[in-house]
Amino acid sequence: MSQKTPKTAELHDEVARLRAELDEANYRYYVLDDPTLTDEDYDRRLRRLQELESQHPDLVTPDSPTQRVGAAPAEGFPEVQHAVPMLSLDNAFNEEEIAAFVKRVNERLERNDDDLAFCCEPKLDGLAVSLVYEQGVLISGATRGDGRTGEGITSNLRTLRSIPLKLRGDSIPQLIEVRGEVYMRHSGFETLNARAREEGSKVFANPRNAAAGSLRQLDPRITAQRPLEFCAYQVARIDDDEVAMAHSAYMARLREFGFRTHPELALVEGSAALLEYCRRLGEKRDHLDYDIDGAVIKVDDLRLQRELGFVARAPRWAIAYKFPAQEQTTRLKDVEFQVGRTGAITPVARLEPVTVAGALVSNATLHNQDEIARLGVMIGDRVVIRRAGDVIPQVVRVMEDERPDDARVIEFPMHCPVCGSEVERVEGEAVVRCPAGLFCAAQRKEAIKHFASRRALDIDGLGTKLIDQLVEREWVKTPAGLFHLGAEELAELPRLGKKSADNLIAALEKSRHTTLPRFIYALGIREVGEATAGNLARHFGTLEALMRAELVDLEAVEDVGPVVAAHVYNFFQEQHNRETVDQLIDAGVQWEETEVSVRPQPLIGQTWVLTGTLESMTRDEGRARLQALGAKVSGSVSKRTAGVVAGPGAGSKLAKAEELNVEVLDEEAFLTRLAGWESGDGEKGEAS
Ligand code: JCF
């Protein structure tokens, strides 16, 4: 809803403050890795700024944070000549080739000691772009193209929050050209592809393709919705009074200007330290949330760089050390079908084992039936496998030219491969499910694994293999069955001695004391992860209240929409789920009521507004305390507003409240009222 527009001076102040806060938030998030604003707070400020700018178009500046979102679509991209060519790098594929590079450099510089300083960083697997700033303002951004001429994609690059529209600080060069990599994280890539699979739109083979496709959109509004990031790695030109002597010094200045540089950027001396850096980076590779394909190694001293110069198009002072590729080809031997915890039946590719980026891969996911159709894959095909980071290996492409004559079509089962129930395919969903729930041994196993997992009841020593055995022997049929296991019985199992059996019994005993959020999470309700379980627990306070909740009650919970609400509701409608809950409680599973929110929520259904400044707390804290009491906190006053807390400096909202006869509290009255509500005395938060 639209707030009242302030007067001119106030308006300028508010616009300037919002811009400064938004720029600062981006800097904290992307450069310092230390976010201060929540996404919600960021969006609220951005919306307010958009609102003010749309009422006063003369206030819009090209460097305003609002200008990241929506220039009109382009007809095509203009050509941009790079003032300084964008270089390619020579490659080194192993340690010997790195050592040879160091040797070449030292020889050319006529140095005898192996103590040259190198600036090293991971080589991000994205797209190189170049950004030009004049008087500190971004004026142009372009792709690498052929190194001399690229495509002008300024409007697209402006949408990346990690690209400053305006440089920070007060020693801003008249002109600077910054080079860096635009890339997409695995998490963002997975979300993007999952959505594309659901919608039947374009699925990208890897994050690099997704980044390229997103940057080359003619409509910047599409780019704005893609999770792209920029990391700076080079100053190509600078017009400035301060002359730096080292590449690393320029990288430090880039950070001051508000760019993200790579957190693993490091200065090392001599070849031993350099090789150590490359080895360590190789070990970290799998645990990063983005693809790197190696390390970039640069002579740090700029005088020495000049002395070394270039051969053809690559500098003599740098090299790219390349890790083994993340994609390999192999043969699809067969497809098997796995049944997950929620009954989803997933096709799994059985492959001729192949080493991909240093690990032996013999299985890959094929996601679902639609994905198999999209890939057009058949059993016997040669396929391209991709393994990146901790993500499950994927089949990304089929080499159709090499299809053997005896290739077979992949048949999706009509019956659950584990329990034989007829499978279900829900309209509009790509997933095929076994509907048998806990009657299906596969789902029983998975449900129990989930129940025992670290973030659920955290039953130490109850691993996958053991659970498989317990279910196969039918010793355990539901999670509650775990608590009826005896130490003697357990000790009979192969490879489980008396000691392990005793330990397991002790772990089970310990896990009986849990918390409500963990318990709710452990039930394994569809789409109820840890965060949602926590929200449900805090909202309802007790399991009984949650089990009694109607759909509307559930939808009132933070971050719970109609889909999740329906899953929760349906779960507790099922007789056997209710029985499982009862059995667990009978087996002694319990939680401290005080750990969950038994706090009073007297303000449920009320909307409050905070305006002006408070002395004893920030507005954010005030908002949080009101929300904890069940209130909604809004930015605008209407006749449905329950009350307004007004501190000094309150303006239009206070006037509006008085006009509508809405109760207004000053800070002292607010504190008294808060104390009452929080202690549970005040009963209802009605105006008194
Ligand atoms: O991360 C990269 N892909 C990357 C590419 C990093 C660098 O420091 C680079 C680069 C390409 C050229 N430096 C140069 C000179």
PDB file of all heavy atoms in Angstrom, residues 4-35:
ATOM      1  N   LYS A   4       2.146   7.884   2.497  1.00  0.00           N
ATOM      2  CA  LYS A   4       2.036   9.294   2.142  1.00  0.00           C
ATOM      3  C   LYS A   4       3.390   9.803   1.697  1.00  0.00           C
ATOM      4  O   LYS A   4       4.429   9.354   2.168  1.00  0.00           O
ATOM      5  CB  LYS A   4       1.572  10.087   3.364  1.00  0.00           C
ATOM      6  CG  LYS A   4       0.150  10.564   3.203  1.00  0.00           C
ATOM      7  CD  LYS A   4      -0.062  11.786   4.049  1.00  0.00           C
ATOM      8  CE  LYS A   4      -1.468  12.301   3.909  1.00  0.00           C
ATOM      9  NZ  LYS A   4      -1.848  13.057   5.104  1.00  0.00           N
ATOM     10  N   THR A   5       3.391  10.748   0.780  1.00  0.00           N
ATOM     11  CA  THR A   5       4.661  11.274   0.295  1.00  0.00           C
ATOM     12  C   THR A   5       5.145  12.402   1.189  1.00  0.00           C
ATOM     13  O   THR A   5       4.411  13.344   1.454  1.00  0.00           O
ATOM     14  CB  THR A   5       4.494  11.825  -1.127  1.00  0.00           C
ATOM     15  OG1 THR A   5       3.837  10.829  -1.886  1.00  0.00           O
ATOM     16  CG2 THR A   5       5.827  12.128  -1.736  1.00  0.00           C
ATOM     17  N   PRO A   6       6.400  12.348   1.649  1.00  0.00           N
ATOM     18  CA  PRO A   6       6.923  13.418   2.486  1.00  0.00           C
ATOM     19  C   PRO A   6       7.216  14.695   1.698  1.00  0.00           C
ATOM     20  O   PRO A   6       7.196  14.697   0.472  1.00  0.00           O
ATOM     21  CB  PRO A   6       8.201  12.828   3.055  1.00  0.00           C
ATOM     22  CG  PRO A   6       8.535  11.652   2.217  1.00  0.00           C
ATOM     23  CD  PRO A   6       7.297  11.221   1.508  1.00  0.00           C
ATOM     24  N   LYS A   7       7.517  15.763   2.423  1.00  0.00           N
ATOM     25  CA  LYS A   7       7.878  17.044   1.794  1.00  0.00           C
ATOM     26  C   LYS A   7       9.261  16.959   1.145  1.00  0.00           C
ATOM     27  O   LYS A   7      10.028  16.044   1.420  1.00  0.00           O
ATOM     28  CB  LYS A   7       7.898  18.147   2.867  1.00  0.00           C
ATOM     29  CG  LYS A   7       6.593  18.269   3.614  1.00  0.00           C
ATOM     30  CD  LYS A   7       5.928  19.573   3.303  1.00  0.00           C
ATOM     31  CE  LYS A   7       4.432  19.558   3.612  1.00  0.00           C
ATOM     32  NZ  LYS A   7       3.936  18.606   4.577  1.00  0.00           N
ATOM     33  N   THR A   8       9.582  17.978   0.347  1.00  0.00           N
ATOM     34  CA  THR A   8      10.782  17.898  -0.488  1.00  0.00           C
ATOM     35  C   THR A   8      12.063  17.534   0.262  1.00  0.00           C
ATOM     36  O   THR A   8      12.746  16.578  -0.108  1.00  0.00           O
ATOM     37  CB  THR A   8      11.005  19.230  -1.224  1.00  0.00           C
ATOM     38  OG1 THR A   8       9.743  19.689  -1.666  1.00  0.00           O
ATOM     39  CG2 THR A   8      11.918  19.023  -2.416  1.00  0.00           C
ATOM     40  N   ALA A   9      12.388  18.280   1.329  1.00  0.00           N
ATOM     41  CA  ALA A   9      13.668  18.033   2.018  1.00  0.00           C
ATOM     42  C   ALA A   9      13.658  16.634   2.614  1.00  0.00           C
ATOM     43  O   ALA A   9      14.597  15.852   2.439  1.00  0.00           O
ATOM     44  CB  ALA A   9      13.886  19.066   3.117  1.00  0.00           C
ATOM     45  N   GLU A  10      12.553  16.317   3.257  1.00  0.00           N
ATOM     46  CA  GLU A  10      12.381  15.001   3.859  1.00  0.00           C
ATOM     47  C   GLU A  10      12.490  13.912   2.793  1.00  0.00           C
ATOM     48  O   GLU A  10      13.094  12.870   3.001  1.00  0.00           O
ATOM     49  CB  GLU A  10      10.976  14.935   4.453  1.00  0.00           C
ATOM     50  CG  GLU A  10      10.908  14.593   5.923  1.00  0.00           C
ATOM     51  CD  GLU A  10       9.457  14.560   6.355  1.00  0.00           C
ATOM     52  OE1 GLU A  10       8.912  15.653   6.661  1.00  0.00           O
ATOM     53  OE2 GLU A  10       8.875  13.465   6.360  1.00  0.00           O
ATOM     54  N   LEU A  11      11.894  14.202   1.635  1.00  0.00           N
ATOM     55  CA  LEU A  11      11.883  13.256   0.525  1.00  0.00           C
ATOM     56  C   LEU A  11      13.298  12.969   0.046  1.00  0.00           C
ATOM     57  O   LEU A  11      13.706  11.818  -0.096  1.00  0.00           O
ATOM     58  CB  LEU A  11      11.047  13.847  -0.613  1.00  0.00           C
ATOM     59  CG  LEU A  11      11.040  13.078  -1.932  1.00  0.00           C
ATOM     60  CD1 LEU A  11      10.248  11.803  -1.779  1.00  0.00           C
ATOM     61  CD2 LEU A  11      10.435  13.935  -3.035  1.00  0.00           C
ATOM     62  N   HIS A  12      14.070  14.052  -0.160  1.00  0.00           N
ATOM     63  CA  HIS A  12      15.454  13.865  -0.600  1.00  0.00           C
ATOM     64  C   HIS A  12      16.237  13.054   0.417  1.00  0.00           C
ATOM     65  O   HIS A  12      17.015  12.182   0.057  1.00  0.00           O
ATOM     66  CB  HIS A  12      16.138  15.222  -0.828  1.00  0.00           C
ATOM     67  CG  HIS A  12      15.806  15.807  -2.163  1.00  0.00           C
ATOM     68  ND1 HIS A  12      14.714  16.613  -2.375  1.00  0.00           N
ATOM     69  CD2 HIS A  12      16.411  15.664  -3.374  1.00  0.00           C
ATOM     70  CE1 HIS A  12      14.666  16.961  -3.649  1.00  0.00           C
ATOM     71  NE2 HIS A  12      15.684  16.391  -4.280  1.00  0.00           N
ATOM     72  N   ASP A  13      16.006  13.358   1.681  1.00  0.00           N
ATOM     73  CA  ASP A  13      16.718  12.630   2.742  1.00  0.00           C
ATOM     74  C   ASP A  13      16.361  11.157   2.708  1.00  0.00           C
ATOM     75  O   ASP A  13      17.229  10.301   2.799  1.00  0.00           O
ATOM     76  CB  ASP A  13      16.336  13.181   4.125  1.00  0.00           C
ATOM     77  CG  ASP A  13      17.018  14.504   4.391  1.00  0.00           C
ATOM     78  OD1 ASP A  13      17.845  14.903   3.531  1.00  0.00           O
ATOM     79  OD2 ASP A  13      16.719  15.123   5.426  1.00  0.00           O
ATOM     80  N   GLU A  14      15.079  10.886   2.580  1.00  0.00           N
ATOM     81  CA  GLU A  14      14.659   9.486   2.625  1.00  0.00           C
ATOM     82  C   GLU A  14      15.217   8.710   1.437  1.00  0.00           C
ATOM     83  O   GLU A  14      15.715   7.598   1.582  1.00  0.00           O
ATOM     84  CB  GLU A  14      13.130   9.364   2.669  1.00  0.00           C
ATOM     85  CG  GLU A  14      12.711   7.902   2.818  1.00  0.00           C
ATOM     86  CD  GLU A  14      11.216   7.679   3.021  1.00  0.00           C
ATOM     87  OE1 GLU A  14      10.439   8.650   2.972  1.00  0.00           O
ATOM     88  OE2 GLU A  14      10.845   6.509   3.217  1.00  0.00           O
ATOM     89  N   VAL A  15      15.157   9.330   0.260  1.00  0.00           N
ATOM     90  CA  VAL A  15      15.686   8.671  -0.936  1.00  0.00           C
ATOM     91  C   VAL A  15      17.177   8.396  -0.760  1.00  0.00           C
ATOM     92  O   VAL A  15      17.661   7.286  -1.007  1.00  0.00           O
ATOM     93  CB  VAL A  15      15.411   9.523  -2.202  1.00  0.00           C
ATOM     94  CG1 VAL A  15      16.227   9.031  -3.387  1.00  0.00           C
ATOM     95  CG2 VAL A  15      13.927   9.483  -2.536  1.00  0.00           C
ATOM     96  N   ALA A  16      17.909   9.401  -0.277  1.00  0.00           N
ATOM     97  CA  ALA A  16      19.359   9.238  -0.104  1.00  0.00           C
ATOM     98  C   ALA A  16      19.648   8.148   0.929  1.00  0.00           C
ATOM     99  O   ALA A  16      20.542   7.319   0.753  1.00  0.00           O
ATOM    100  CB  ALA A  16      19.987  10.557   0.333  1.00  0.00           C
ATOM    101  N   ARG A  17      18.855   8.152   2.010  1.00  0.00           N
ATOM    102  CA  ARG A  17      19.090   7.161   3.061  1.00  0.00           C
ATOM    103  C   ARG A  17      18.815   5.743   2.540  1.00  0.00           C
ATOM    104  O   ARG A  17      19.600   4.826   2.749  1.00  0.00           O
ATOM    105  CB  ARG A  17      18.195   7.458   4.268  1.00  0.00           C
ATOM    106  CG  ARG A  17      18.384   6.493   5.431  1.00  0.00           C
ATOM    107  CD  ARG A  17      17.552   6.879   6.654  1.00  0.00           C
ATOM    108  NE  ARG A  17      16.136   7.072   6.346  1.00  0.00           N
ATOM    109  CZ  ARG A  17      15.256   6.100   6.130  1.00  0.00           C
ATOM    110  NH1 ARG A  17      15.644   4.844   6.199  1.00  0.00           N
ATOM    111  NH2 ARG A  17      14.000   6.375   5.859  1.00  0.00           N
ATOM    112  N   LEU A  18      17.701   5.594   1.813  1.00  0.00           N
ATOM    113  CA  LEU A  18      17.365   4.268   1.281  1.00  0.00           C
ATOM    114  C   LEU A  18      18.455   3.769   0.337  1.00  0.00           C
ATOM    115  O   LEU A  18      18.869   2.618   0.383  1.00  0.00           O
ATOM    116  CB  LEU A  18      16.026   4.311   0.545  1.00  0.00           C
ATOM    117  CG  LEU A  18      14.794   4.453   1.440  1.00  0.00           C
ATOM    118  CD1 LEU A  18      13.564   4.815   0.611  1.00  0.00           C
ATOM    119  CD2 LEU A  18      14.536   3.162   2.226  1.00  0.00           C
ATOM    120  N   ARG A  19      18.946   4.674  -0.526  1.00  0.00           N
ATOM    121  CA  ARG A  19      19.984   4.254  -1.477  1.00  0.00           C
ATOM    122  C   ARG A  19      21.240   3.845  -0.731  1.00  0.00           C
ATOM    123  O   ARG A  19      21.861   2.831  -1.060  1.00  0.00           O
ATOM    124  CB  ARG A  19      20.304   5.393  -2.445  1.00  0.00           C
ATOM    125  CG  ARG A  19      19.206   5.569  -3.458  1.00  0.00           C
ATOM    126  CD  ARG A  19      19.550   6.664  -4.447  1.00  0.00           C
ATOM    127  NE  ARG A  19      18.394   6.884  -5.308  1.00  0.00           N
ATOM    128  CZ  ARG A  19      18.175   7.988  -5.994  1.00  0.00           C
ATOM    129  NH1 ARG A  19      19.042   8.994  -5.925  1.00  0.00           N
ATOM    130  NH2 ARG A  19      17.110   8.088  -6.745  1.00  0.00           N
ATOM    131  N   ALA A  20      21.603   4.648   0.275  1.00  0.00           N
ATOM    132  CA  ALA A  20      22.828   4.341   1.022  1.00  0.00           C
ATOM    133  C   ALA A  20      22.669   2.998   1.729  1.00  0.00           C
ATOM    134  O   ALA A  20      23.577   2.165   1.729  1.00  0.00           O
ATOM    135  CB  ALA A  20      23.109   5.449   2.033  1.00  0.00           C
ATOM    136  N   GLU A  21      21.484   2.756   2.297  1.00  0.00           N
ATOM    137  CA  GLU A  21      21.269   1.492   3.012  1.00  0.00           C
ATOM    138  C   GLU A  21      21.316   0.302   2.072  1.00  0.00           C
ATOM    139  O   GLU A  21      21.864  -0.743   2.398  1.00  0.00           O
ATOM    140  CB  GLU A  21      19.916   1.520   3.742  1.00  0.00           C
ATOM    141  CG  GLU A  21      19.949   2.375   4.995  1.00  0.00           C
ATOM    142  CD  GLU A  21      18.572   2.530   5.640  1.00  0.00           C
ATOM    143  OE1 GLU A  21      17.566   2.091   5.036  1.00  0.00           O
ATOM    144  OE2 GLU A  21      18.516   3.089   6.734  1.00  0.00           O
ATOM    145  N   LEU A  22      20.733   0.480   0.890  1.00  0.00           N
ATOM    146  CA  LEU A  22      20.714  -0.628  -0.077  1.00  0.00           C
ATOM    147  C   LEU A  22      22.124  -0.903  -0.614  1.00  0.00           C
ATOM    148  O   LEU A  22      22.542  -2.054  -0.734  1.00  0.00           O
ATOM    149  CB  LEU A  22      19.739  -0.323  -1.217  1.00  0.00           C
ATOM    150  CG  LEU A  22      18.254  -0.349  -0.805  1.00  0.00           C
ATOM    151  CD1 LEU A  22      17.383   0.347  -1.843  1.00  0.00           C
ATOM    152  CD2 LEU A  22      17.776  -1.784  -0.591  1.00  0.00           C
ATOM    153  N   ASP A  23      22.868   0.166  -0.916  1.00  0.00           N
ATOM    154  CA  ASP A  23      24.246  -0.025  -1.396  1.00  0.00           C
ATOM    155  C   ASP A  23      25.092  -0.695  -0.324  1.00  0.00           C
ATOM    156  O   ASP A  23      25.873  -1.607  -0.598  1.00  0.00           O
ATOM    157  CB  ASP A  23      24.875   1.322  -1.772  1.00  0.00           C
ATOM    158  CG  ASP A  23      24.331   1.840  -3.105  1.00  0.00           C
ATOM    159  OD1 ASP A  23      23.807   1.029  -3.885  1.00  0.00           O
ATOM    160  OD2 ASP A  23      24.435   3.057  -3.347  1.00  0.00           O
ATOM    161  N   GLU A  24      24.917  -0.234   0.905  1.00  0.00           N
ATOM    162  CA  GLU A  24      25.684  -0.801   2.012  1.00  0.00           C
ATOM    163  C   GLU A  24      25.336  -2.290   2.182  1.00  0.00           C
ATOM    164  O   GLU A  24      26.211  -3.127   2.372  1.00  0.00           O
ATOM    165  CB  GLU A  24      25.366  -0.024   3.311  1.00  0.00           C
ATOM    166  CG  GLU A  24      26.084  -0.513   4.557  1.00  0.00           C
ATOM    167  CD  GLU A  24      27.574  -0.214   4.558  1.00  0.00           C
ATOM    168  OE1 GLU A  24      28.034   0.590   3.712  1.00  0.00           O
ATOM    169  OE2 GLU A  24      28.287  -0.809   5.386  1.00  0.00           O
ATOM    170  N   ALA A  25      24.049  -2.599   2.071  1.00  0.00           N
ATOM    171  CA  ALA A  25      23.618  -3.992   2.228  1.00  0.00           C
ATOM    172  C   ALA A  25      24.270  -4.878   1.164  1.00  0.00           C
ATOM    173  O   ALA A  25      24.732  -5.976   1.458  1.00  0.00           O
ATOM    174  CB  ALA A  25      22.094  -4.095   2.136  1.00  0.00           C
ATOM    175  N   ASN A  26      24.338  -4.388  -0.065  1.00  0.00           N
ATOM    176  CA  ASN A  26      24.985  -5.162  -1.131  1.00  0.00           C
ATOM    177  C   ASN A  26      26.461  -5.369  -0.838  1.00  0.00           C
ATOM    178  O   ASN A  26      26.997  -6.456  -1.032  1.00  0.00           O
ATOM    179  CB  ASN A  26      24.858  -4.437  -2.476  1.00  0.00           C
ATOM    180  CG  ASN A  26      23.487  -4.642  -3.079  1.00  0.00           C
ATOM    181  OD1 ASN A  26      22.798  -5.603  -2.748  1.00  0.00           O
ATOM    182  ND2 ASN A  26      23.094  -3.743  -3.950  1.00  0.00           N
ATOM    183  N   TYR A  27      27.108  -4.303  -0.396  1.00  0.00           N
ATOM    184  CA  TYR A  27      28.539  -4.376  -0.099  1.00  0.00           C
ATOM    185  C   TYR A  27      28.794  -5.380   1.026  1.00  0.00           C
ATOM    186  O   TYR A  27      29.654  -6.235   0.934  1.00  0.00           O
ATOM    187  CB  TYR A  27      29.022  -2.983   0.293  1.00  0.00           C
ATOM    188  CG  TYR A  27      30.475  -2.908   0.672  1.00  0.00           C
ATOM    189  CD1 TYR A  27      31.461  -3.131  -0.280  1.00  0.00           C
ATOM    190  CD2 TYR A  27      30.859  -2.602   1.975  1.00  0.00           C
ATOM    191  CE1 TYR A  27      32.800  -3.055   0.062  1.00  0.00           C
ATOM    192  CE2 TYR A  27      32.186  -2.526   2.323  1.00  0.00           C
ATOM    193  CZ  TYR A  27      33.159  -2.753   1.366  1.00  0.00           C
ATOM    194  OH  TYR A  27      34.474  -2.689   1.710  1.00  0.00           O
ATOM    195  N   ARG A  28      27.978  -5.286   2.081  1.00  0.00           N
ATOM    196  CA  ARG A  28      28.154  -6.224   3.201  1.00  0.00           C
ATOM    197  C   ARG A  28      27.945  -7.658   2.732  1.00  0.00           C
ATOM    198  O   ARG A  28      28.646  -8.566   3.126  1.00  0.00           O
ATOM    199  CB  ARG A  28      27.138  -5.932   4.324  1.00  0.00           C
ATOM    200  CG  ARG A  28      27.185  -4.536   4.871  1.00  0.00           C
ATOM    201  CD  ARG A  28      28.286  -4.349   5.830  1.00  0.00           C
ATOM    202  NE  ARG A  28      28.264  -5.356   6.882  1.00  0.00           N
ATOM    203  CZ  ARG A  28      28.638  -5.121   8.119  1.00  0.00           C
ATOM    204  NH1 ARG A  28      29.029  -3.917   8.478  1.00  0.00           N
ATOM    205  NH2 ARG A  28      28.625  -6.088   9.002  1.00  0.00           N
ATOM    206  N   TYR A  29      26.973  -7.842   1.892  1.00  0.00           N
ATOM    207  CA  TYR A  29      26.616  -9.190   1.454  1.00  0.00           C
ATOM    208  C   TYR A  29      27.662  -9.755   0.505  1.00  0.00           C
ATOM    209  O   TYR A  29      28.173 -10.854   0.700  1.00  0.00           O
ATOM    210  CB  TYR A  29      25.244  -9.133   0.759  1.00  0.00           C
ATOM    211  CG  TYR A  29      24.689 -10.489   0.400  1.00  0.00           C
ATOM    212  CD1 TYR A  29      23.862 -11.167   1.289  1.00  0.00           C
ATOM    213  CD2 TYR A  29      24.983 -11.091  -0.816  1.00  0.00           C
ATOM    214  CE1 TYR A  29      23.355 -12.409   0.972  1.00  0.00           C
ATOM    215  CE2 TYR A  29      24.485 -12.335  -1.134  1.00  0.00           C
ATOM    216  CZ  TYR A  29      23.671 -12.986  -0.235  1.00  0.00           C
ATOM    217  OH  TYR A  29      23.176 -14.225  -0.561  1.00  0.00           O
ATOM    218  N   TYR A  30      28.000  -8.996  -0.545  1.00  0.00           N
ATOM    219  CA  TYR A  30      28.833  -9.569  -1.611  1.00  0.00           C
ATOM    220  C   TYR A  30      30.326  -9.433  -1.351  1.00  0.00           C
ATOM    221  O   TYR A  30      31.104 -10.286  -1.747  1.00  0.00           O
ATOM    222  CB  TYR A  30      28.491  -8.934  -2.960  1.00  0.00           C
ATOM    223  CG  TYR A  30      27.146  -9.389  -3.438  1.00  0.00           C
ATOM    224  CD1 TYR A  30      26.036  -8.569  -3.373  1.00  0.00           C
ATOM    225  CD2 TYR A  30      26.993 -10.681  -3.913  1.00  0.00           C
ATOM    226  CE1 TYR A  30      24.794  -9.017  -3.793  1.00  0.00           C
ATOM    227  CE2 TYR A  30      25.755 -11.142  -4.338  1.00  0.00           C
ATOM    228  CZ  TYR A  30      24.663 -10.306  -4.268  1.00  0.00           C
ATOM    229  OH  TYR A  30      23.443 -10.757  -4.675  1.00  0.00           O
ATOM    230  N   VAL A  31      30.727  -8.336  -0.735  1.00  0.00           N
ATOM    231  CA  VAL A  31      32.166  -8.121  -0.582  1.00  0.00           C
ATOM    232  C   VAL A  31      32.646  -8.633   0.764  1.00  0.00           C
ATOM    233  O   VAL A  31      33.640  -9.346   0.863  1.00  0.00           O
ATOM    234  CB  VAL A  31      32.536  -6.634  -0.757  1.00  0.00           C
ATOM    235  CG1 VAL A  31      34.039  -6.440  -0.672  1.00  0.00           C
ATOM    236  CG2 VAL A  31      32.010  -6.145  -2.096  1.00  0.00           C
ATOM    237  N   LEU A  32      31.930  -8.297   1.821  1.00  0.00           N
ATOM    238  CA  LEU A  32      32.378  -8.689   3.158  1.00  0.00           C
ATOM    239  C   LEU A  32      31.824 -10.040   3.592  1.00  0.00           C
ATOM    240  O   LEU A  32      32.245 -10.565   4.618  1.00  0.00           O
ATOM    241  CB  LEU A  32      31.977  -7.621   4.187  1.00  0.00           C
ATOM    242  CG  LEU A  32      32.479  -6.201   3.889  1.00  0.00           C
ATOM    243  CD1 LEU A  32      32.076  -5.267   5.019  1.00  0.00           C
ATOM    244  CD2 LEU A  32      33.993  -6.175   3.705  1.00  0.00           C
ATOM    245  N   ASP A  33      30.896 -10.608   2.838  1.00  0.00           N
ATOM    246  CA  ASP A  33      30.279 -11.877   3.230  1.00  0.00           C
ATOM    247  C   ASP A  33      29.681 -11.793   4.622  1.00  0.00           C
ATOM    248  O   ASP A  33      29.763 -12.729   5.411  1.00  0.00           O
ATOM    249  CB  ASP A  33      31.319 -13.011   3.224  1.00  0.00           C
ATOM    250  CG  ASP A  33      31.296 -13.752   1.906  1.00  0.00           C
ATOM    251  OD1 ASP A  33      30.208 -13.820   1.298  1.00  0.00           O
ATOM    252  OD2 ASP A  33      32.358 -14.246   1.492  1.00  0.00           O
ATOM    253  N   ASP A  34      29.142 -10.653   4.955  1.00  0.00           N
ATOM    254  CA  ASP A  34      28.663 -10.426   6.314  1.00  0.00           C
ATOM    255  C   ASP A  34      27.365  -9.630   6.218  1.00  0.00           C
ATOM    256  O   ASP A  34      27.338  -8.438   6.488  1.00  0.00           O
ATOM    257  CB  ASP A  34      29.752  -9.650   7.082  1.00  0.00           C
ATOM    258  CG  ASP A  34      29.332  -9.355   8.503  1.00  0.00           C
ATOM    259  OD1 ASP A  34      28.436 -10.050   9.023  1.00  0.00           O
ATOM    260  OD2 ASP A  34      29.887  -8.401   9.092  1.00  0.00           O
ATOM    261  N   PRO A  35      26.287 -10.307   5.817  1.00  0.00           N
ATOM    262  CA  PRO A  35      25.045  -9.570   5.569  1.00  0.00           C
ATOM    263  C   PRO A  35      24.483  -8.944   6.840  1.00  0.00           C
ATOM    264  O   PRO A  35      24.638  -9.503   7.919  1.00  0.00           O
ATOM    265  CB  PRO A  35      24.082 -10.640   5.042  1.00  0.00           C
ATOM    266  CG  PRO A  35      24.817 -11.912   5.027  1.00  0.00           C
ATOM    267  CD  PRO A  35      26.149 -11.741   5.640  1.00  0.00           C
TER     268      PRO A  35
END
